[in-house]
């Protein structure tokens, strides 16, 4: 029996779709990260019960931190994006979270900058608050050790390819790191939207991009670029096609980042079927019903989609580009 609902919903389900292909499906993945981080802060004495934790969020981390604070008797203050929808807002209110939403912005960069600026103001007024810094503090890696151990137990021995969206960098980076520390051969494939600075696609915009939780308009300290072997940049149309196809193929109803990861996994398996491919479904598809899934009739032919194979970031283009990251990174440094 679970001691708290956060413990119940954090654990993912490993679903075998076919031999050599599995989905690591979460209800909401960042609960693992938030619980691990908060537990570490309490154990080290960095915070005490009754303290207030604060952070910025576009939505998913807000719920995760709220549940972690509820679990451990802490107060929670969220500076949220306008993407925090009514369903989540009501939950946060009932959980006792103080929620502020910044004013609507024309672009993601301004939205993120406004949130960080507001946090600085709040901390100046309340120096006892603890800023979680989900994008920069490595404690957000800690909770994913359990996930890596579960993959190691459940997925047969042999080389792996882990595929997932790169947002803060903690999930894919941490899982791959812990598996590699256990001597597992892991190829790490990151998925990005266009317009993100994280892997250098800020010069290629995607006006339809609503893939919450991956990509960024500002640099994130928790993204350890050297961990990644392959990077795929996927636009909204391709991500939608992947999400719709995944639902049809497997019954898994997940977010757009999962659709992009499924598409990337499909391609990676063509090039290397010697590995078991595990792709991450970070959350469910409910928040994308009106903005994406309602357009399912316009989804493209999944099997006909192919990425542009690039050797320079100058070659990035819609709808989908991919590269071997170490090689591209080396050429950038030269």
């Amino acid at each position: 029996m679970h001691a708290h609902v956060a413990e119940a919903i954090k654990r993912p389900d490993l679903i075998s779709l076919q031999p050599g292909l599995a989905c690591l499906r979460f209800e909401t993945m960042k609960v693992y990260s938030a619980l691990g981080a908060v537990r570490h802060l309490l154990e080290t004495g960095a915070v005490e019960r009754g303290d207030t934790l604060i952070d910025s969020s576009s939505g998913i981390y807000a719920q995760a931190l709220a549940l972690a604070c509820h679990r451990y008797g802490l107060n929670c203050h969220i500076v949220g994006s306008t993407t925090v929808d009514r369903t989540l807002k009501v939950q946060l209110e009932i959980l006792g979270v103080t929620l502020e939403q910044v004013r609507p912005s024309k672009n993601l960069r301004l939205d993120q900058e406004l949130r960080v600026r507001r946090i600085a103001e709040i901390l100046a007024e309340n120096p006892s608050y603890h800023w979680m810094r989900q994008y920069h503090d490595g404690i957000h890696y800690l909770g994913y050790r359990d996930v890596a151990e579960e993959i190691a137990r459940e997925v047969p021995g042999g080389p792996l390819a882990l595929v997932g969206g790169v947002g803060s960098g903690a999930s894919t980076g941490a899982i791959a790191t812990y598996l590699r520390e256990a001597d597992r051969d892991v190829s790490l494939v990151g998925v990005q939207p266009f317009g993100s600075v994280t892997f250098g696609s800020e010069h290629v915009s995607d006006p339809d991009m609503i893939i919450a939780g991956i990509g960024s308009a500002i640099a994130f300290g928790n993204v350890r670029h050297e961990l990644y072997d392959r990077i795929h940049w996927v636009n909204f149309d391709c991500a939608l096609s992947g999400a719709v196809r995944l639902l049809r193929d497997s019954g898994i109803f997940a977010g757009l980042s999962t659709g992009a990861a499924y598409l990337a996994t499909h391609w990676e398996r063509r090039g290397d079927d010697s590995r078991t491919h595990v792709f991450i479904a970070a959350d469910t598809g409910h928040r994308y019903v009106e903005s994406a899934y309602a357009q399912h009739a316009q989804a493209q032919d999944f099997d006909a989609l192919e990425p542009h194979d690039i050797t320079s970031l100058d070659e990035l283009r819609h709808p989908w580009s991919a590269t071997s990251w170490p090689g591209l990174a080396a050429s950038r440094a030269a």
Side-chain angles (χ1 to χ4, degrees):
M1 184 178 297
H2 298 289
H4 190 273
V5 66
E7 306 290 348
I9 67 172
K10 75 173 186 178
R11 185 170 181 176
D13 299 304
L14 260 170
I15 303 168
S16 176
L17 304 189
Q18 54 183 271
L21 176 63
C23 176
L24 185 67
R25 179 196 175 276
F26 293 84
E27 182 174 339
T28 176
M29 183 179 66
K30 288 193 175 182
V31 172
Y32 249 119
S33 180
L35 282 174
V38 171
R39 188 163 49 244
H40 177 77
L41 291 172
L42 288 166
E43 289 172 349
T44 58
V47 301
E48 298 178 352
R49 290 180 183 271
D51 286 353
T52 297
L53 308 186
I54 183 172
D55 213 345
S56 162
S57 175
S58 61
I60 298 173
Y61 184 77
Q63 181 190 26
L65 186 59
L67 289 172
C69 287
H70 190 274
R71 168 74 173 86
Y72 289 112
L74 295 152
N75 299 311
C76 183
H77 191 127
I78 296 293
V79 178
S81 169
T82 53
T83 57
V84 176
D85 60 25
R86 177 170 172 76
T87 300
L88 178 55
K89 189 184 302 184
V90 170
Q91 291 181 66
L92 296 178
E93 289 174 357
I94 294 172
L95 285 169
V97 175
T98 301
L99 171 66
E100 299 183 39
Q101 286 181 276
V102 296
R103 67 178 184 271
S105 305
K106 293 182 179 179
N107 57 62
L108 179 61
R109 175 181 288 276
L110 181 56
D111 178 81
Q112 290 177 325
E113 289 177 347
L114 286 173
R115 283 187 272 147
V116 172
R117 193 181 309 160
R118 178 56 186 147
I119 285 178
E121 293 172 353
I122 295 169
L123 289 172
E125 298 165 0
N126 303 275
S128 65
Y129 285 12
H130 182 88
W131 184 12
M132 292 299 293
R133 300 177 73 242
Q134 66 150 321
Y135 304 130
H136 307 291
D137 194 329
I139 62 172
H140 290 88
Y141 273 53
L142 300 176
Y144 292 112
R145 183 182 293 275
D146 290 344
V147 180
E149 291 175 351
E150 182 162 345
I151 292 173
R153 286 193 305 269
E154 297 294 328
V155 178
L160 284 173
L162 179 68
V163 186
V166 184
S168 69
S171 59
T172 49
I175 295 169
T177 294
Y178 293 133
L179 284 167
R180 286 167 176 170
E181 287 178 355
D183 294 325
R184 194 72 177 260
D185 177 2
V186 177
S187 173
L188 181 57
V189 182
V191 177
Q192 282 275 280
F194 289 98
S196 170
V197 305
T198 305
F199 285 91
S201 69
E202 62 270 23
H203 60 291
V204 183
S205 66
D206 183 0
D208 296 321
M209 195 277 285
I210 54 168
I211 309 176
I214 69 171
S216 176
I218 58 177
F220 289 167
N222 271 339
V223 177
R224 302 174 187 174
H225 295 80
E226 70 278 5
L227 297 176
Y228 294 85
D229 298 289
R230 298 270 297 164
I231 298 295
H232 288 250
W233 294 265
V234 180
N235 74 4
F236 170 81
D237 292 335
C238 285
L240 171 62
S241 300
V244 170
R245 178 61 176 265
L246 176 62
L247 182 55
R248 285 193 179 128
D249 284 351
S250 67
I252 295 173
F253 181 50
L256 283 182
S257 69
T258 307
Y262 186 53
L263 183 68
T265 302
H266 183 76
W267 182 258
E268 290 294 321
R269 292 184 75 217
R270 287 190 189 182
D272 184 3
D273 61 3
S274 67
R275 296 176 180 272
T276 297
H277 285 70
V278 178
F279 67 94
I280 296 174
D283 60 355
T284 67
H286 295 86
R287 68 190 302 195
Y288 296 105
V289 170
E290 294 302 325
S291 57
Y293 275 100
Q295 305 171 45
H296 66 88
Q298 283 74 53
Q300 301 173 47
D301 182 352
F302 180 87
D303 295 312
L305 294 171
E306 294 187 5
H308 304 295
D309 187 21
I310 66 168
T311 57
S312 165
L313 292 175
D314 293 335
E315 300 170 1
L316 275 169
R317 66 184 189 270
H318 285 256
W320 176 16
S321 295
T323 193
S324 169
W325 180 250
L328 191 147
S331 67
R332 291 179 73 194

